[in-house]
Amino acid sequence: MSVPQFKRVVIKLSGEALAGEAGFGLSPQIIKSVAEEIKDVVNLGVEVAVVVGGGNIWRGKVGSEMGMDRASADYMGMLATVMNSLALQDALEKLEIQTRVQSSIVMTQVAEPYIRRKAVRHLEKKRVVIFAAGTGNPFFSTDTTAALRAAEIEAEAILMAKNNVDGVYSADPKTDPTAVKYDELTYLDVIQKGLQVMDSTASTLCMDNDIPLIVFSIMDKGNIKRAVQGDKIGTIVRRSL
Ligand code: UDP
């Protein structure tokens, strides 16, 4: 019988992780597969919150490069995360996992508003809580959302599921053959070396609040469960080693 290492986690899924090979839009097969993995973790008794990105639909940076006002473009990005969140909720409920979407931008017809105490209550009842619409603020990312919500709900770790890489490397492994994968790192290493793990706002928030981050590939089925069980997969980033 496998024993989970964490009681409560935040799973960060990038939008691209839900898009599959195409890199944009939503892949029903991938969403189903991710939902099955989340179900496995819930069945271990772990309380699961999920932060979903929106990069498979829209990124604020792209909009601003096209000449849009950055704040407006970022709000579009936050709305994209709501679409992904509803798709994941649907897939989880098809597997009979009770799921609530809480949105940082109020839209009561489709999601609950984000209320920290209510989110914690859902988690205690073993419902999956999906945090949609990022932090609700432009100029932030969903990585920062994961760090912020993890601190607020006192999650013991952030599990960062990547679709294009299986951990943190010294350089981009796709373009640099000398790139080496790290097993463990500190947040200071990430910031000082400029490693492409999460943005610096998210990294400092995790560091200041002492929240460990496990970065791994979503492409190997069962990895979310492995990460929860403390198996050595991907890269672990901590405040200190
Ligand atoms: N976003 C934002 N504030 C937040 C979270 C997200 O403005 O708190 C916007 C931002 O434009 C971002 C987009 O939403 O580009 C999608 O989020 P993100 O890029 O983090 O998604 P991911 O890369 O994880 O798919």
Side-chain angles (χ1 to χ4, degrees):
M1 180 62 194
S2 44
V3 183
Q5 216 198 340
F6 307 112
K7 194 174 160 293
R8 181 177 293 167
V9 294
V10 170
I11 299 173
K12 165 70 211 296
L13 293 169
S14 71
E16 275 172 19
L18 300 177
E21 297 285 301
F24 59 89
L26 287 164
S27 156
Q29 291 82 9
I30 302 254
I31 295 176
K32 183 165 177 272
S33 154
V34 170
E36 284 166 355
E37 290 211 43
I38 293 173
K39 179 178 178 166
D40 285 348
V41 173
V42 171
N43 285 344
L44 290 175
V46 179
E47 295 173 7
V48 178
V50 185
V51 171
V52 192
N56 55 323
I57 300 171
W58 182 262
R59 273 183 211 285
K61 204 166 159 281
V62 175
S64 74
E65 279 161 11
M66 282 159 41
M68 271 187 83
D69 174 59
R70 175 69 193 255
S72 297
D74 276 344
Y75 278 113
M76 287 173 65
M78 287 182 256
L79 296 179
T81 73
V82 179
M83 292 172 66
N84 287 335
S85 299
L86 294 178
L88 184 62
Q89 178 184 39
D90 179 80
L92 283 163
E93 295 202 328
K94 293 248 159 57
L95 300 174
E96 291 171 0
I97 297 294
Q98 285 203 42
T99 307
R100 299 289 185 271
V101 177
Q102 289 204 342
S103 173
S104 304
I105 295 174
V106 176
M107 46 179 98
T108 44
Q109 283 84 354
V110 293
E112 292 179 4
Y114 171 64
I115 299 171
R116 185 184 72 86
R117 296 175 76 104
K118 205 165 171 187
V120 168
R121 192 76 194 110
H122 287 319
L123 292 168
E124 286 167 353
K125 289 184 177 170
K126 307 297 176 205
R127 294 176 183 146
V128 171
V129 180
I130 304 175
F131 294 124
T135 60
N137 301 291
F139 301 98
F140 286 91
S141 67
T142 51
D143 288 350
T144 301
T145 311
L148 175 64
R149 296 291 182 244
E152 286 187 87
I153 65 169
E154 297 178 14
E156 289 166 324
I158 299 173
L159 313 183
M160 183 172 270
K162 296 269 193 187
N163 64 318
N164 49 4
V165 69
D166 63 352
V168 183
Y169 284 78
S170 56
D172 184 348
K174 289 197 185 73
T175 53
D176 186 343
T178 65
V180 286
K181 187 169 130 191
Y182 296 104
D183 291 332
E184 34 180 33
L185 282 168
T186 64
Y187 284 109
L188 264 185
D189 291 333
V190 168
I191 295 163
Q192 284 169 351
K193 295 186 168 103
L195 300 173
Q196 302 294 311
V197 185
M198 52 182 3
D199 55 83
S200 55
T201 313
S203 296
T204 47
L205 205 50
C206 285
M207 181 172 72
D208 292 350
N209 291 289
D210 201 6
I211 306 164
L213 172 79
I214 304 169
V215 184
F216 57 94
S217 167
I218 190 80
M219 302 316 269
D220 299 326
K221 191 137 191 187
N223 260 357
I224 300 182
K225 192 170 172 186
R226 286 185 201 106
V228 162
Q229 288 169 343
D231 293 2
K232 294 233 169 309
I233 54 163
T235 303
I236 179 154
V237 188
R238 293 198 197 90
R239 179 149 76 179
S240 53
L241 295 180

